[in-house]
Amino acid sequence: MKNKQSKKEIAQIKTIRTYHDDDCPNCGFPETIMIRREDTMEIIREECSKKCGWYRNIK
């Protein structure tokens, strides 16, 4: 079983933001952002690049 990470540990994770041509399902803006862990390149979250408030956490 994996140990849970504290909020402080999560905040210290270095990330890379990459832009994609996917449409935002909330506002229809033609670009989204994938947020990835720098060390493993694992996708953590996807969000709207227009900042409409839409996001999707990816496990």
Side-chain angles (χ1 to χ4, degrees):
M1 184 181 281
K2 290 185 176 181
N3 295 333
K4 280 190 159 185
Q5 292 179 324
S6 69
K7 287 183 181 182
K8 187 176 183 180
E9 290 172 332
I10 292 171
Q12 293 177 354
I13 295 172
K14 292 185 179 184
T15 59
I16 296 174
R17 299 168 64 89
T18 55
Y19 291 82
H20 293 274
D21 290 335
D22 297 337
D23 292 346
C24 172
N26 188 41
C27 70
F29 192 72
E31 193 174 80
T32 59
I33 301 170
M34 295 275 190
I35 301 172
R36 302 171 181 266
R37 289 181 62 109
E38 185 179 82
D39 55 352
T40 63
M41 293 301 288
E42 174 187 5
I43 299 171
I44 299 171
R45 180 176 167 149
E46 182 180 12
E47 61 186 36
C48 179
S49 62
K50 188 179 175 185
K51 306 291 186 208
C52 75
W54 176 84
Y55 68 90
R56 175 176 61 159
N57 289 325
I58 300 173
K59 262 191 163 176

